[in-house]
Amino acid sequence: MKLTTGFFASLAISAAGAAAFDVNCNSNYASYYGQNSALNQQALGDYCKDAIEDVIVLAFMDGFPSILLNFANACETTFDGSTLLHCPSMATDIQYCQSQGKAVILSMGGASGAYGFSSDSDGTAFADTVWDMFFKGNATQRPFDDAVLDGIDLDIEGGGATGYAAFINQMRTHYASDTSKSYYITGAPQCPFPDAYLGSTLDSAWFDMVYVQFYNNYCGLNAYPTWFNYGDWDSWAQTTSVNKDVKIFIGAPGSATAAGSGYVDGSTLSTIYNAVRANYTSLGGIMTWD
């Protein structure tokens, strides 16, 4: 979901200074792309023609370990004789976005779909598959051809926790095999703490960024300041997270129609963002949901 430069001016986030993604900043902007909730989704590359976005999260791989991809109208073609999406236009756009200093990450999970692991060994094996298909591997069918993604996001909203920590550990082993670029692990828990589905994985595996969904729950942005609970997530980041430098993003609906509840206008979001920035060093920036 595209936000305007004016919106970022109201947040005191400098679009002009966002040309190259730096995970250590507290003013990054991550946006989910691919679900076309506002029915006006543009080509991926169109969102990389200015300096506003820092991270684009492709949503979703909503089926695994039997892989199903869904990027709405952004990609609707498949490999011959297969249900696996083949997205050459998105591949070109991914490489263009990366050339503009953006990180492009693939999100696994979502609110609907069929996904999950039955064992740690399943999670480990699937990490090998993901590396081969979306990173520096050699799979015969690669949805984004020779484009190499910058990371994996876990937006787990159903099923059990089995296998996810093992998956992350194996992905990080693959990451370490390629020192030519930085790779990331991110997660998107819902704001009630601890998260019902991702909580144990957040406690036991490495995450670089966590995009907390402050919407569709009692602790959403619309409940600020009474029930808004960024402080719980900051405490987790400082005391429990495996990565004590993990960055927490304030997750917001990109429009009034993007979520059932939690949408706030730019002025209100600016107030919340600036209050969090003044009080918590774990802040990574803003995430918007398409």
Side-chain angles (χ1 to χ4, degrees):
M1 174 61 62
K2 181 74 167 181
L3 295 182
T4 65
T5 304
F7 179 89
F8 280 88
S10 73
L11 287 180
I13 296 178
S14 171
F21 172 61
D22 179 357
V23 71
N24 296 310
C25 288
N26 65 7
S27 58
N28 283 315
Y29 171 39
S31 63
Y32 278 75
Y33 171 88
Q35 291 305 290
N36 196 24
S37 67
L39 303 179
N40 60 359
Q41 180 169 274
Q42 303 169 43
L44 175 61
D46 290 345
Y47 296 90
C48 299
K49 292 179 178 178
D50 56 39
I52 294 176
E53 278 84 1
D54 297 292
V55 182
I56 295 179
V57 187
L58 306 178
F60 285 107
M61 182 198 292
D62 57 0
F64 61 84
S66 296
I67 294 178
L68 291 174
L69 300 171
N70 180 356
F71 305 116
N73 64 325
C75 178
E76 299 175 306
T77 58
T78 61
F79 288 99
D80 290 343
S82 171
T83 59
L84 181 65
L85 288 181
H86 182 209
C87 311
S89 293
M90 286 184 69
T92 299
D93 284 349
I94 288 167
Q95 293 172 322
Y96 170 71
C97 291
Q98 291 170 328
S99 76
Q100 300 304 300
K102 323 298 185 184
V104 183
I105 291 172
L106 176 61
S107 185
M108 296 168 49
S112 62
Y115 55 82
F117 303 119
S118 59
S119 67
D120 284 349
S121 60
D122 284 348
T124 299
F126 190 64
D128 296 338
T129 298
V130 168
W131 179 258
D132 281 346
M133 292 180 68
F134 298 98
F135 292 88
K136 284 273 184 89
N138 54 8
T140 56
Q141 291 184 332
R142 291 175 55 91
F144 303 130
D145 294 332
D146 59 349
V148 177
L149 296 178
D150 298 296
I152 284 290
D153 173 64
L154 295 180
D155 180 9
I156 307 305
E157 301 187 31
T162 300
Y164 289 110
F167 169 81
I168 291 171
N169 291 339
Q170 185 69 357
M171 285 302 303
R172 284 175 47 78
T173 297
H174 286 300
Y175 288 179
S177 72
D178 177 23
T179 59
S180 67
K181 61 182 290 183
S182 296
Y183 294 102
Y184 305 100
I185 300 290
T186 72
Q190 299 180 62
C191 59
F193 184 87
D195 182 82
Y197 300 108
L198 201 55
S200 62
T201 305
L202 287 166
D203 288 350
S204 59
W206 181 282
F207 286 83
D208 296 288
M209 294 170 277
V210 173
Y211 313 127
V212 181
Q213 299 179 46
F214 288 106
Y215 45 89
N216 291 338
N217 273 295
Y218 72 90
C219 42
L221 296 168
N222 56 319
Y224 178 86
T226 306
W227 293 105
F228 178 71
N229 67 336
Y230 186 97
D232 292 339
W233 290 98
D234 177 77
S235 178
W236 168 82
Q238 303 291 337
T239 63
T240 306
S241 174
V242 175
N243 174 18
K244 296 300 188 292
D245 294 319
V246 64
K247 289 299 182 180
I248 309 298
F249 283 60
I250 301 170
S255 70
T257 60
S261 66
Y263 175 76
V264 294
D265 61 25
S267 176
T268 302
L269 186 53
S270 176
T271 297
I272 296 170
Y273 167 81
N274 287 321
V276 171
R277 185 172 64 172
N279 288 284
Y280 299 107
T281 59
S282 61
L283 179 64
I286 298 287
M287 173 275 280
T288 58
W289 164 248
D290 175 4

